[in-house]
Amino acid sequence: MSNQIQPPESQPAESHPIWGDESATVELAADWAARRVVRHTDPLTTARSATALAADAGPTITASGIGAEAALSVFDRVLEPATRSQEDPLNLAYIAAAPTRAAVAFDLVTSAANIFAGLWEAGAGAIYAENEALAWITGMLGWPESSGGCFVAGGTSGNLSALMTARETAKARRGGRPAGGWQLACTANAHSSIRSAAKALDVDVVEVPMDARGHLTGVALRAVLERSPDVFAVVASAGTTNEGIVDDLADVAAVAHEFGVWVHVDGAYGGAGLAAPSVRALFDGIESADSFIVDPHKWLFAPYDCCALLYREPALARATHSQHASYLDHIDRESWNPSELALHLSRRARGLPLWFSLATHGTDRYRDAIERSLDTSRTVAAAIRASDHLRLVREPELSVVVFDRPGWQPADYELWSHATALEGTMLCVPTTLDGATVLRLAFVNPETDAARVIEILETLR
Ligand SMILES: *Cc1c(COP(=O)(O)O)cnc(C)c1O
């Protein structure tokens, strides 16, 4: 008789004492997903009130469950149609997302593999692949091979984690918190998430005046740093959300480093432009930044949610974000642990869809897809410039086109935007620029047809 622990009497394969046999449910969901990935016919905007949704969906969470078929049917008939299609080629509002089908399909694979990708010991293979995708980005940044980072949920958390690292680094180098607290420098054009990060970090924002076109410049930064010794970081935008403007990165980095100030570049939207030769020169100077983010769910054709967060010196991030506790004592801290590089612990391998899509299509096709959006934006901008009823407010630097319709009041823009959305023609929402209401088109989808957009702009007469 062996004295080893005996396994329990083997169970019949179909016996799952709690959940029952879920294989039909898996097939149902996988089948729906496979059909959705290739479908191309979503309405443009379809939000409905919770009351309307409740009336159509009926009760779904019940003591005994309604069953997979009924639940999926509610999702298919009622819930999913009440979400906005982000990949519709005429969704040009905010910044949409146009993932490749390869990336979306691999999001399913990533979920199915159920990988804990916080620690190398649990997610080595997935983290290796994510790092390959990140290395493609650091290569474009011109950063050393020792640089690196991890994927986080979005630009907001990427910016916060980067600035937390910058603040902790300043604290260590300058010997503690200044009496009046830390300050963060940026322009009014910096993304709203920078102010959220400042709030979370309890640091004050010093606003740097912009040049006439809305850029952060080295000259203006110097004037601020000369009178503000407690600035720990400056945030430069590589593609502002409102207008797609890229700050003067080379001058900003040179001045900041002269003052020992960390340079964080927010490229959540525009960072994809690094891969496009026609605009690459705008990013000159980015090779000296200390941290950088880009959202692959914006213009790098990955599904939600995905932000690449990168550090020139990952050790500084590790010193900031490593969590320590008795139950974490056994972590191998010599390995590449994404958990130690941002404000998170558990994480899915959300960089895998990007990795798979890059591996499938190749980086040349990424370059071409980004250039395609840039071309589309230039064609539309040229048509606006040539038109007699619209005015191009500023020359686009990347793929955001801002224009107005002389003679219109804010209410006119609202009406047109709303009607165009309801008809399902196009999503284009007004924004404000220098206090005036303008219209804004953000091109991130290589399938957007410039001619169709120009045709729709005729309705602004
Ligand atoms: C979208 C955006 C963010 C925020 O990113 P999320 O992924 O939405 O959190 C930050 N900065 C810029 C410039 C952006 O365009």
Side-chain angles (χ1 to χ4, degrees), residues 95 153-157 159 191 193 239-241 266 268-269 293 295 297-298:
I95 293 170
T156 299
S157 50
N159 283 333
H191 189 263
S193 59
T240 58
T241 314
D266 179 356
Y269 145 68
I293 64 151
D295 276 357
H297 67 223
K298 281 178 170 162

Side-chain angles (χ1 to χ4, degrees), residues 172-220:
R173 288 182 180 164
R174 299 189 204 174
R177 179 181 184 276
W182 292 107
Q183 295 185 316
L184 173 65
C186 63
T187 71
N189 266 348
H191 189 263
S192 49
S193 59
I194 300 300
R195 273 160 213 280
S196 289
K199 239 190 269 179
L201 296 170
D202 191 21
V203 300
D204 292 327
V205 172
V206 198
E207 217 172 85
V208 185
M210 299 179 280
D211 72 4
R213 215 187 166 300
H215 298 100
L216 169 65
T217 63
V219 173

